[in-house]
Amino acid sequence: MKVTDEEPMEQSDSHGEGDEGPTRAKRCKPDGDRILRPVKLSRDDLYKPPTVEELNQLKEAESLFHCNLLKMQMEELLKEVAISEHRKQQIDSFIQSVTELLQKLPQTPHVELSDLSWLTGGVKVPFLLVPKVTKGKFYMAPPTSVTVIGSYPLGTCTKPGISVDVAVTIPAGVLQAKDAVNQSYPRKRALYLAGLAQHLGSSTAIGTMRYSCLHGNRLRPVLLLTPPGSSSFTLRVHVCPPPGYFKPVRLRPDKNNIRTEWYTGLRRPQPDMTEPPTPHYNSSVLGDMLPMAHLQFLKAVSSQCSAFAHGVALLKVWLRQRELDKGAGCFGGFLGSMLLAYLLTSRRVSNHMTPYQLLRNTLHFLASNDLTENGITLAKDPDSTAPSLAEFHNVFQVVFVDPSGHLNMCADMTACTYKQVQHEAALSVQFWDDPTVDGFHALLMTPKPMIRTSDHVFQLCELGKLQATCKNLNLLSELMDRSGNYILTALPFILSLLQRGLGQRIRLLTHSLTPDPEWPVECDAPQHKDQPPVSFGLLLNPDQAATLLERGPPADSSKALEFRQLWGSRSELRRFQDGSITEAVVWEAENTQQKRLILRQIITHLLQLHAGIPESSVRYIAAILDDVIKVGQEECSTGEEESLTVVQSYDDLSRKLWGLEGLPLSITSVQGAHPALRYTQVFPPIPVRLDYTFFDRHPVTRALIPNEDKPCPMYITPIKVICHMEGSGKWPHDKAAIRHIKAAFHITLGQLLAEKYQYTCQPSATHLDVWKDGLVFRIQVAYHREPQILKECLSPEGLLLLRDNEEAQALEMATIHQPVLTSTLHGLQQLHPCFGAVCRLAKRWLGAQLFHDDISEDTADLLVAFIFLQPAPFTPQVCPFTPAEPVLPHTISPRVTPSPPGSSQVGFLRFLRLLSCFDWSNNPLVVNLNNQLTASDYTEIKNDFMASRERLPVMFIATPKDRKLSLWTKQAPSIQILQRIVIVAAQSLKVLEAQLMDPSQMQDVKVIMRPPLDAYDVLIHLNHKQVPTLKQAVDRPRVIYGQGVLRDMAIKTGGALPVIGFNPVTCYLAELRDAFGDLALFFCDPYGGTVIAVLWKPKAFNPVPFKTGQIVARHLGGTGDRTHTVPNVEAILEDFRVMGHGLVKSVEPMTERWVV
Amino acid sequence: MAPSKTKHAEKACVISEGFTVLSLKFKADSDSQHNIFVKEHLVRAGQTPQRPLDTTLFVLNIPPYCSEGTLKEIFSQFGPVKSVELREKPGSFEPSESKLSKYFTPAQKQGFRVGYIVFTNSHSITKAKLHPLNVPLLVSTEQRPVLTGLNKWINQYKQSITEPDKLQKAVDAFMQDYDKEKEQEAERQKEEAEKQQEDEEGWTKVIRGKRGAKARPHTEVANKRVLQKESRKSKELINFYTWQQRNTQKEYIAELRKKFEEDKQRIALLRVQRKFRPY
């Protein structure tokens, strides 16, 4: 297989569907059409007189949307989610046949409610019969009516997962007025549904039949029907009582309809005690009676507003991308429609708005209104029996009352879910106002699964344990109200407990919505404990999250008791420096990595203490990947401390350089130009002390030299520091002379440093190595006019021209761009403490997947910086000083608190997502470092990019300092490699997310760090002894060789110069690429990789006519052919061995993959 | 794919364009061999003293581990070798920047190279071209082992460690030369300037200066700046006359249309790529 054989970039072509013929035909266009070219309109087209219609259209696009693009994008999106006419016909005919079948339901004799003998055919009742006993009679009878309800008749039904709701009304005779009490009605409803299933089961018009329940509410099972054959829609059969059958007064939220005596089966000890209210049970019964009324109401509203259906569709897409539209207590499409209806009827939006405006206003309303405090109602003039909003607020967390005034449509929603909706809405509104963000894409097209959204995620496994929690927290009456669903019962209490315990450490607590279970009609309803685990997401507050101390109230205050109760034995009295004595909790953490996991300590402690959930059933998902960037073997630090040591040592060196006296010219700047100086080096250099006996010595300078017979010595990274010298007339105006002057500076600097501070220095023509604190700094003197001088050349007319050339570019990169990038990213790290960790994880992954040489360290850091600078649609960073608009003193307070990815894991996931989903061929990636670019700059960059796409690098990254060239990606990656990176990133993301979220998977997340080697043509196995970075391998080696380093010794300054930057593997790779770069690609993991993978270039083996220029490593081809040459593979393989003598263990040609 | 399947085993192997194929092995016990292609050096124009036509052998496809010294030894079997020149690509002779000391010469690419081997006698070339294909030349032998791999890199590392005083000396030597050159240049310019001054009778002698010896500030950047200044027109009212306003409006609509077209194209492209599926 050659590199080009990879599939082209495609995100979602696995969802092929039948009815999209034209789109598919278009997709088959050749690849060349994938790239945008600047539009060329003829002069006549451009300047012809406009028609009124056209003028209006253009104007509308300008004023309502940011640009045409958004409007058209919306239209396209709506087309995608709309149901085609063909599909509608299928649905209608299926509804027709099901309705007819249902009308023919035979009547059965009356039986006792508990007698299920009439049910045959293996059909089970979709109900958890706890407690078992119920009184009452039951029989099947043909339904009084079968009506289509919900989104389908309203026109708001959208793809994917089309579900059409059908309400089947139970004949009044089957029910009794008292049935609302003690679950009689829900049980009859379930039985009736089972009866329907039994009846439909015999028909051939039905494909599959499964049970499910509405929004996770077990009292409201539904029957899912699909037509025979594969189908993309399902029919949901609901069973309803006749409208108005039960009196709403009896179902008020303060009424009791489940008797304790019946539920527990015990005689009540005090017969005079009042029964607890059962608001959730009541509202679920009420909800069954109202769908027809709701449909009528919505129909009336939507007939007034032409964009209603489209507005709802957009809102549904928005909710769906945020995983808010399904499960128990969800904010589903129905609520969306109702909310829009509320906004329309209360005149907050007008009937003439476009779908886009409707969505925007809805989001704005959500963001600015807190339904947990101030509920809203659709009831215009509710009758006197309807409860007031305050009454609703007493029992429900979120209140949104339906048009009848009796039902709270948000009964099951937790406050946390609403807060999440609110948070998302606020973010979305903000992104839409930001012209630098592609709002459409961020808000409607990007999925936001919890694992990628929340900084930390934890799961409660073994949900059965929550039963004990309910008992612990004394939640019997709530359990009764929720009909025994202990998960939903315990959830609000756990949430409030965590909220109290985590307090300021987090900004948002979210939880996954228990998905609607689905099961075949022949099976019993699944138990609650068989549900998938509940996941909780935490959005951290970076300043507070890692605090060791939880300071409570003073010991004598009234709140002290409360604090002690919350924290239990962990709370202790402490005396602080300011003299106060307060309650406090102190958590243990030694390094940054452990500090990041303090939240885990808190959560497990609280859950154990109050909810009786053992630590073993809490699955905390954060920092699982940190293992691969751990430094050293014994201690488990992840390198933050080490980076800090390096930076401190550098700061010291920089101070000393500034202070040097006796230089002919003064120093104007000292800048770091190395990843270690911005906290992004995967394995930051560790100070070492050397074992001199391990090395040979240089005969003159006494510097250490590796010994041929010993293992390769420890790799000591030279940390690059650029030292600019003052400009002066004394600098020569000639490139060779400048280089000599620089060398002289290196010598002088070295002498001064050695004299004054006793550092061992090693000057050379290009740099000065300083051995300091067990680290090596490589100082490079720079002269700011040198690149300019390199560019100068004389034209024949004697005109001085400036012509860019490679040498000048390389010098500019080293002395200007890299130092600036380093200091900018260093600043970013100060703002976002986990920036470094994300960079390091990302680079470790790139290295492990053998892409290290294609995406340079600087490029990778920039990509990660992009995630931090433009996290949309995820939580953004705030820019207190927007350069575009004047900041008034009182508006400085930020709207949303700062910090994008708050943990390395979520940052890494977003990095993978960025790599795999960004449309590199048509978009520039703009990394707005220091917020220097304005909206107009963005447009300019984009236009420049479009105008000269073909000439620009395939991966285009623009920064404020580099808007047109993409300096960092000029050399690599190539288009083939980029395609491969995209594919590998997508796969890694998929695998990793599955591993993280699914507790049943084997927990080895390192699988994404192990590349498949069977895709390569030749493998060169290296001698482990000579790989200096062996210890950094993803899978730590079993045998570790001595590397000439003394352990546990104090670091001293001075002594012999160590072996600096000596890595046989890099030497070997460089030689291989020099010699065979035209024939093959070479890949290697720089962090402890012991295999070099070789891939022949696709055209390498084509016979080429004999030419003096194209003869590298070739010999005459085939028999008798004396004019063509082919690569001399055997000799090349031999050369691999010869050139890597001492390093190469074996060369393994994977000949099954290729033939010559 | 051993290359020695040819039937002309005992004879020299001559191919198109007058090249002769020789084989080259790294060591006596190596399994496979490289083909190198040799031919007498032949150029139409530009014969240089460094590459005399009759005694220079042009060699193609020299593996990276063959240095000048190694090649000299290998080809000595055909007669005494005067000099060996290795280059990345065939081309005319360029003096290497021999002025610079070793510390300042950039490192060379270590790929396959071409070589120009200058023999003392011209019959050595014929001898080399008659060398049979199945007797490979050996790069590394017992007597003169060629370092590769780890040993080579360690050696390289050792070489890269510079002795400060030697470096200083190299720098000093270069700067002395440079200063001298500068002085000479300055003197020459002074002389020229003197020449152009008026003589006693008020005459100025106009002489043709050397090409490119004009005064320094004559640069592209300066030229551009001047041009820009000239082209900058005086202030003008833009939206004053009716026709001007009409034009502006026309331009505006054209701009909108262009944008609209661009967006349409963009959408079409995204649609093709199915970028509008929110699932």
Side-chain angles (χ1 to χ4, degrees):
Chain A
M1 181 194 68
K2 304 292 173 229
V3 199
T4 40
D5 291 353
E6 304 293 352
E7 297 160 62
M9 285 179 244
E10 284 281 330
Q11 255 76 55
S12 57
D13 51 356
S14 53
H15 314 274
E17 272 185 60
D19 59 335
E20 267 135 303
T23 341
R24 176 160 296 184
K26 273 180 202 161
R27 282 179 60 218
C28 301
K29 276 188 190 172
D31 259 332
D33 283 358
R34 289 283 167 88
I35 289 177
L36 284 175
R37 290 192 183 78
V39 191
K40 285 197 186 77
L41 282 177
S42 70
R43 235 192 115 68
D44 290 350
D45 275 343
L46 269 183
Y47 292 102
K48 70 181 173 204
T51 60
V52 180
E53 212 170 281
E54 193 195 355
L55 256 182
N56 281 342
Q57 199 188 0
L58 288 173
K59 240 184 204 155
E60 188 197 43
E62 274 286 278
S63 53
L64 291 185
F65 305 91
H66 286 311
C67 58
N68 275 308
L69 197 61
L70 184 59
K71 185 183 167 202
M72 287 194 276
Q73 280 172 325
M74 293 273 179
E75 282 164 7
E76 289 296 327
L77 173 72
L78 286 172
K79 268 187 226 162
E80 277 290 343
V81 295
I83 307 172
S84 64
E85 282 306 316
H86 172 67
R87 183 74 47 79
K88 274 186 187 160
Q89 282 169 12
Q90 282 182 349
I91 294 174
D92 287 339
S93 71
F94 187 57
I95 293 176
Q96 185 66 37
S97 55
V98 170
T99 315
E100 277 164 18
L101 272 173
L102 289 175
Q103 303 289 11
K104 285 187 214 139
L105 190 77
Q107 185 139 4
T108 59
H110 295 234
V111 288
E112 275 297 316
L113 198 51
S114 49
D115 176 15
L116 298 178
S117 54
W118 57 274
L119 261 182
T120 52
V123 174
K124 292 277 170 38
V125 183
F127 205 83
L128 288 172
L129 295 170
V130 181
K132 270 209 150 36
V133 276
T134 8
K135 275 182 253 164
K137 300 268 187 205
F138 180 76
Y139 65 93
M140 288 301 288
T144 37
S145 70
V146 179
T147 17
V148 186
I149 54 163
S151 58
Y152 185 69
L154 204 56
T156 59
C157 193
T158 55
K159 287 198 285 188
I162 305 166
S163 60
V164 180
D165 298 277
V166 174
V168 175
T169 313
I170 311 183
V174 180
L175 301 173
Q176 281 171 337
K178 275 269 188 177
D179 275 353
V181 179
N182 287 353
Q183 294 188 1
S184 288
Y185 158 68
R187 287 176 187 216
K188 282 188 177 172
R189 184 184 187 283
L191 278 176
Y192 195 79
L193 200 64
L196 292 182
Q198 186 189 6
H199 172 64
L200 293 173
S202 55
S203 164
T204 51
I206 310 291
T208 60
M209 281 201 299
R210 293 172 74 78
Y211 286 129
S212 179
C213 53
L214 192 65
H215 302 324
N217 187 346
R218 293 305 185 82
L219 294 180
R220 303 171 76 179
V222 291
L223 182 64
L224 304 181
L225 303 176
T226 57
S230 67
S231 164
S232 52
F233 66 89
T234 45
L235 214 59
R236 282 201 293 197
V237 180
H238 302 252
V239 175
C240 303
Y245 188 83
F246 300 112
K247 288 211 173 65
V249 187
R250 292 184 161 280
L251 297 167
R252 279 171 61 104
D254 52 356
K255 288 280 191 293
N256 169 283
N257 280 309
I258 302 263
R259 312 280 184 254
T260 319
E261 193 181 328
W262 171 79
Y263 188 76
T264 56
L266 299 172
R267 289 234 148 252
R268 272 191 304 140
Q270 299 137 307
D272 52 330
M273 202 182 78
T274 49
E275 291 275 358
T278 55
H280 292 96
Y281 173 80
N282 297 355
S283 65
S284 106
V285 175
L286 250 180
D288 268 352
M289 294 200 301
L290 293 166
M292 262 80 102
H294 289 158
L295 179 64
Q296 270 167 11
F297 170 75
L298 287 174
K299 264 191 172 160
V301 172
S302 78
S303 65
Q304 301 287 314
C305 172
S306 53
F308 182 81
H310 283 164
V312 173
L314 287 180
L315 191 59
K316 278 168 104 168
V317 171
W318 184 84
L319 288 166
R320 191 187 144 78
Q321 298 289 22
R322 280 148 187 80
E323 295 185 341
L324 286 165
D325 66 331
K326 279 204 178 70
C330 64
F331 199 103
F334 169 66
L335 269 180
S337 310
M338 278 299 190
L339 183 64
L340 206 52
Y342 171 77
L343 295 181
L344 282 165
T345 49
S346 61
R347 303 267 171 256
R348 282 171 202 260
V349 294
S350 103
N351 284 335
H352 307 293
M353 284 185 172
T354 60
Y356 161 67
Q357 286 170 311
L358 290 181
L359 174 64
R360 225 190 126 110
N361 281 298
T362 315
L363 294 183
H364 190 262
F365 175 82
L366 281 173
S368 50
N369 286 274
D370 189 357
L371 299 193
T372 58
E373 296 289 329
N374 303 305
I376 50 174
T377 174
L378 271 167
K380 284 273 163 47
D381 35 14
D383 56 67
S384 54
T385 57
S388 67
L389 277 180
E391 281 174 85
F392 279 118
H393 273 299
N394 281 340
V395 287
F396 298 117
Q397 294 193 316
V398 186
V399 177
F400 180 16
V401 182
D402 82 324
S404 74
H406 290 280
L407 174 68
N408 177 18
M409 293 181 287
C410 294
D412 286 338
M413 195 183 290
T414 59
C416 278
T417 307
Y418 185 75
K419 290 279 182 219
Q420 188 188 354
V421 173
Q422 220 182 353
H423 176 81
E424 292 291 349
L427 279 186
S428 301
V429 171
Q430 203 178 329
F431 287 141
W432 236 320
D433 290 338
D434 185 351
T436 63
V437 177
D438 179 3
F440 171 76
H441 207 263
L443 302 188
L444 294 173
M445 299 301 291
T446 320
K448 285 187 74 175
M450 178 184 278
I451 186 82
R452 240 179 279 157
T453 312
S454 306
D455 295 333
H456 285 194
V457 173
F458 69 93
Q459 291 181 325
L460 288 186
C461 310
E462 301 178 74
L463 290 172
K465 292 262 169 38
L466 286 174
Q467 260 171 312
T469 309
C470 291
K471 210 171 270 171
N472 267 12
L473 295 167
N474 207 7
L475 298 177
L476 177 65
S477 49
E478 282 82 359
L479 199 60
M480 249 160 58
D481 180 23
R482 301 275 191 170
S483 333
N485 189 340
Y486 43 84
I487 301 169
L488 292 184
T489 312
L491 195 59
F493 292 89
I494 291 177
L495 288 170
S496 79
L497 173 70
L498 293 175
Q499 200 95 55
R500 262 186 358 171
L502 296 171
Q504 288 300 307
R505 289 173 193 266
I506 56 165
R507 284 185 286 158
L508 189 68
L509 174 67
T510 58
H511 63 93
S512 68
L513 306 170
T514 338
D516 302 339
E518 258 186 49
W519 66 98
V521 287
E522 295 85 14
C523 295
D524 281 320
Q527 299 289 314
H528 294 304
K529 67 170 189 288
D530 298 332
Q531 299 276 312
V534 186
S535 310
F536 296 82
L538 309 171
L539 214 53
L540 306 189
N541 195 351
D543 312 332
Q544 310 266 330
T547 340
L548 288 176
L549 177 79
E550 192 83 39
R551 199 166 158 175
D556 46 0
S557 93
S558 54
K559 284 181 182 161
L561 182 68
E562 206 179 305
F563 188 82
R564 270 200 300 275
Q565 245 167 17
L566 180 62
W567 296 107
S569 57
R570 291 300 293 250
S571 169
E572 48 196 27
L573 273 180
R574 281 190 172 239
R575 189 194 168 95
F576 288 90
Q577 273 185 339
D578 58 359
S580 59
I581 301 173
T582 67
E583 292 284 343
V585 184
V586 180
W587 307 96
E588 305 90 29
E590 274 162 16
N591 52 36
T592 325
Q593 198 237 348
Q594 288 174 3
K595 270 190 190 168
R596 274 189 240 132
L597 291 179
I598 283 185
L599 289 177
R600 174 191 178 157
Q601 289 184 40
I602 298 176
I603 287 165
T604 44
H605 173 73
L606 287 177
L607 289 182
Q608 173 91 61
L609 183 68
H610 295 284
I613 298 169
E615 200 177 336
S616 59
S617 34
V618 179
R619 187 165 165 273
Y620 204 86
I621 311 161
I624 288 179
L625 271 173
D626 286 358
D627 201 30
V628 293
I629 52 165
K630 270 184 188 161
V631 181
Q633 226 88 54
E634 296 84 17
E635 67 276 27
C636 357
S637 146
T638 48
E640 281 81 2
E641 286 74 21
E642 284 76 6
S643 290
L644 192 65
T645 323
V646 174
V647 172
Q648 279 166 350
S649 177
Y650 158 75
D651 286 341
D652 179 54
L653 176 70
S654 148
R655 245 193 322 278
K656 284 174 177 163
L657 280 173
W658 281 106
L660 283 184
E661 281 163 15
L663 280 170
L665 292 174
S666 59
I667 294 172
T668 52
S669 77
V670 178
Q671 293 169 306
H674 192 269
L677 298 177
R678 52 183 190 237
Y679 302 88
T680 64
Q681 176 87 339
V682 179
F683 293 100
I686 307 169
V688 287
R689 187 141 176 236
L690 300 165
D691 175 9
Y692 293 156
T693 58
F694 189 83
F695 300 90
D696 289 345
R697 290 286 191 117
H698 189 270
V700 184
T701 62
R702 308 300 295 153
L704 302 180
I705 285 172
N707 185 315
E708 294 161 20
D709 305 322
K710 299 227 168 97
C712 185
M714 165 117 178
Y715 182 76
I716 295 180
T717 324
I719 303 163
K720 213 164 88 182
V721 178
I722 302 291
C723 184
H724 272 273
M725 292 310 220
E726 141 187 65
S728 147
K730 285 176 191 156
W731 280 97
H733 202 89
D734 172 85
K735 55 182 181 181
I738 291 179
R739 270 160 59 198
H740 283 81
I741 298 286
K742 288 202 301 189
F745 268 120
H746 292 143
I747 298 171
T748 324
L749 273 178
Q751 278 168 354
L752 289 174
L753 283 173
E755 271 168 31
K756 204 162 176 194
Y757 303 107
Q758 285 77 47
Y759 296 148
T760 310
C761 296
Q762 172 64 51
S764 80
T766 50
H767 56 255
L768 165 73
D769 285 335
V770 180
W771 171 235
K772 170 181 184 293
D773 307 335
L775 299 166
V776 170
F777 292 94
R778 179 161 282 184
I779 300 175
Q780 248 176 298
V781 166
Y783 169 44
H784 70 277
R785 281 183 54 81
E786 193 183 355
Q788 183 85 1
I789 292 169
L790 283 180
K791 281 183 200 169
E792 282 178 1
C793 59
L794 279 182
S795 75
E797 289 81 37
L799 193 65
L800 190 66
L801 303 172
L802 287 181
R803 289 291 171 266
D804 220 354
N805 55 37
E806 252 172 56
E807 202 184 358
Q809 279 171 1
L811 189 75
E812 269 185 345
M813 178 64 112
T815 59
I816 301 172
H817 300 303
Q818 278 185 339
V820 171
L821 183 73
T822 302
S823 65
T824 316
L825 294 184
H826 183 273
L828 200 60
Q829 162 77 20
Q830 304 302 319
L831 274 177
H832 309 300
C834 69
F835 169 71
V838 178
C839 283
R840 292 166 52 224
L841 268 182
K843 287 196 276 194
R844 185 70 192 87
W845 177 82
L846 284 170
Q849 292 288 353
L850 313 181
F851 295 131
H852 178 262
D853 295 296
D854 295 295
I855 297 214
S856 68
E857 295 222 4
D858 299 322
T859 314
D861 286 350
L862 275 175
L863 289 174
V864 176
F866 176 79
I867 303 170
F868 280 81
L869 294 171
Q870 214 164 69
F874 303 103
T875 317
Q877 172 212 20
V878 98
C879 37
F881 305 104
T882 321
E885 49 196 358
V887 179
L888 301 173
H890 62 272
T891 57
I892 282 182
S893 67
R895 275 182 294 169
V896 180
T897 39
S899 183
S903 77
S904 52
Q905 175 180 295
V906 70
F908 178 60
L909 289 173
R910 288 185 208 172
F911 168 78
L912 288 181
R913 157 97 191 160
L914 172 71
L915 265 189
S916 60
C917 291
F918 195 80
D919 181 11
W920 294 104
S921 57
N922 290 315
N923 287 304
L925 185 83
V926 185
V927 186
N928 194 356
L929 292 170
N930 287 342
N931 236 324
Q932 281 172 336
L933 297 173
T934 58
S936 58
D937 291 330
Y938 270 76
T939 332
E940 203 186 307
I941 289 173
K942 206 153 198 177
N943 290 344
D944 287 342
F945 171 82
M946 297 261 283
S948 50
R949 178 66 193 112
E950 278 92 344
R951 274 173 284 125
L952 295 170
V954 278
M955 192 180 204
F956 186 91
I957 300 179
T959 60
K961 291 255 182 297
D962 161 33
R963 303 185 184 190
K964 294 187 177 170
L965 294 172
S966 186
L967 292 169
W968 312 99
T969 54
K970 239 180 186 167
Q971 313 291 338
S974 64
I975 179 86
Q976 291 87 355
I977 296 286
L978 184 63
Q979 278 176 1
R980 181 151 174 89
I981 292 176
V982 167
I983 292 166
V984 174
Q987 281 302 320
S988 294
L989 182 65
K990 211 169 108 191
V991 170
L992 183 59
E993 285 191 344
Q995 293 257 354
L996 291 178
M997 285 312 270
D998 187 356
S1000 61
Q1001 296 249 5
M1002 287 295 288
Q1003 274 303 307
D1004 191 5
V1005 286
K1006 280 184 184 175
V1007 76
I1008 58 152
M1009 301 275 183
R1010 298 188 192 110
L1013 288 173
D1014 49 359
Y1016 297 94
D1017 295 327
V1018 181
L1019 299 181
I1020 306 176
H1021 296 277
L1022 304 178
N1023 191 349
H1024 286 214
K1025 219 162 120 182
Q1026 297 297 347
V1027 179
T1029 53
L1030 192 64
K1031 276 196 270 184
Q1032 302 168 351
V1034 172
D1035 298 300
R1036 299 280 145 98
R1038 259 166 281 143
V1039 188
I1040 290 179
Y1041 299 95
Q1043 296 197 303
V1045 179
L1046 296 177
R1047 289 186 181 281
D1048 309 323
M1049 295 283 265
I1051 305 299
K1052 268 202 314 191
T1053 293
L1057 190 81
V1059 174
I1060 303 164
F1062 177 70
N1063 187 346
V1065 185
T1066 17
C1067 294
Y1068 184 46
L1069 275 172
E1071 272 189 22
L1072 286 177
R1073 285 188 182 131
D1074 276 356
F1076 306 109
D1078 298 334
L1079 293 175
L1081 299 170
F1082 298 89
F1083 302 90
C1084 183
D1085 179 3
Y1087 310 108
T1090 53
V1091 174
I1092 293 179
V1094 187
L1095 197 63
W1096 301 122
K1097 285 200 176 172
K1099 285 178 187 152
F1101 289 102
N1102 296 355
V1104 176
F1106 186 90
K1107 254 193 205 163
T1108 50
Q1110 297 182 342
I1111 200 71
V1112 168
R1114 287 169 172 270
H1115 63 168
L1116 292 175
T1119 44
D1121 185 4
R1122 307 226 134 199
T1123 53
H1124 285 75
T1125 58
V1126 291
N1128 189 353
V1129 179
E1130 286 197 2
I1132 291 173
L1133 295 184
E1134 175 89 30
D1135 280 355
F1136 287 170
R1137 253 168 257 143
V1138 169
M1139 288 161 66
H1141 175 75
L1143 174 67
V1144 172
K1145 195 160 72 182
S1146 63
V1147 175
E1148 178 192 353
M1150 318 264 281
T1151 29
E1152 68 272 22
R1153 299 199 51 80
W1154 46 276
V1155 280
V1156 180
Chain B
M1 280 287 303
S4 53
K5 278 175 198 161
T6 166
K7 283 161 201 154
H8 316 270
E10 281 304 310
K11 274 196 283 173
C13 177
V14 183
I15 56 161
S16 63
E17 296 184 39
F19 279 98
T20 307
V21 188
L22 302 182
S23 53
L24 181 96
K25 262 189 180 182
F26 182 70
K27 259 199 245 170
D29 56 348
S30 299
D31 302 325
S32 51
Q33 49 201 10
H34 272 294
N35 278 3
I36 60 173
F37 306 88
V38 301
K39 181 184 163 182
E40 60 274 32
H41 178 55
L42 208 65
V43 279
R44 263 174 233 124
Q47 189 195 351
T48 47
Q50 286 85 2
R51 292 181 193 163
L53 278 187
D54 49 345
T55 56
T56 307
L57 188 70
F58 177 45
V59 188
L60 279 177
N61 200 22
I62 302 170
Y65 36 77
C66 294
S67 63
E68 276 95 342
T70 324
L71 276 183
K72 200 169 179 174
E73 299 230 9
I74 294 174
F75 281 89
S76 296
Q77 56 176 298
F78 307 117
V81 175
K82 216 198 291 176
S83 69
V84 173
E85 186 199 342
L86 282 180
R87 298 171 50 87
E88 266 176 49
K89 274 177 197 158
S92 60
F93 181 80
E94 279 170 27
S96 60
E97 294 179 56
S98 51
K99 281 194 300 182
L100 296 177
S101 61
K102 64 166 180 176
Y103 305 114
F104 292 94
T105 37
Q108 280 199 325
K109 219 180 141 190
Q110 304 155 307
F112 281 77
R113 285 171 290 184
V114 300
Y116 298 91
I117 296 167
V118 185
F119 290 103
T120 330
N121 305 315
S122 55
H123 64 82
S124 306
I125 293 184
T126 345
K127 215 170 151 189
K129 285 179 71 175
L130 286 175
H131 190 77
L133 178 64
N134 59 348
V135 182
L137 306 171
L138 292 182
V139 176
S140 175
T141 55
E142 289 276 313
Q143 292 84 41
R144 41 170 181 84
V146 170
L147 286 186
T148 58
L150 207 57
N151 298 345
K152 181 187 165 196
W153 300 319
I154 289 179
N155 202 30
Q156 264 177 1
Y157 181 78
K158 203 164 158 186
Q159 298 298 323
S160 75
I161 293 178
T162 36
E163 294 161 35
D165 31 348
K166 280 193 185 161
L167 179 63
Q168 183 72 53
K169 265 181 208 148
V171 170
D172 288 345
F174 178 88
M175 288 318 289
Q176 239 166 16
D177 288 350
Y178 179 78
D179 286 344
K180 217 178 269 168
E181 235 171 70
K182 271 267 134 134
E183 261 169 42
Q184 280 169 357
E185 173 80 1
E187 232 159 71
R188 207 172 44 78
Q189 277 190 355
K190 212 170 140 196
E191 258 170 46
E192 256 172 40
E194 266 168 20
K195 271 183 199 163
Q196 295 202 5
Q197 263 171 18
E198 292 176 10
D199 62 11
E200 288 147 8
E201 289 164 31
W203 293 96
T204 307
K205 191 174 168 192
V206 180
I207 46 162
R208 190 166 172 271
K210 248 170 74 189
R211 272 195 143 188
K214 275 195 178 172
R216 254 285 136 83
H218 185 53
T219 68
E220 193 184 29
V221 184
N223 268 9
K224 254 190 202 160
R225 215 177 292 139
V226 173
L227 277 178
Q228 240 174 22
K229 239 177 224 169
E230 279 169 6
S231 68
R232 206 176 295 151
K233 285 178 192 162
S234 56
K235 259 191 187 172
E236 200 182 320
L237 289 170
I238 320 161
N239 266 344
F240 184 71
Y241 299 107
T242 325
W243 63 268
Q244 279 180 325
Q245 287 180 356
R246 217 167 31 223
N247 265 4
T248 326
Q249 263 175 8
K250 246 165 125 184
E251 285 298 328
Y252 178 65
I253 287 179
E255 185 61 31
L256 282 184
R257 273 184 186 151
K258 212 169 138 202
K259 224 168 135 195
F260 186 55
E261 280 307 312
E262 264 173 25
D263 289 346
K264 264 210 290 211
Q265 198 199 6
R266 188 170 269 263
I267 294 286
L269 186 99
L270 290 173
R271 197 188 305 131
V272 170
Q273 295 177 343
R274 299 220 163 177
K275 285 286 167 64
F276 290 112
R277 284 211 154 173
Y279 48 92

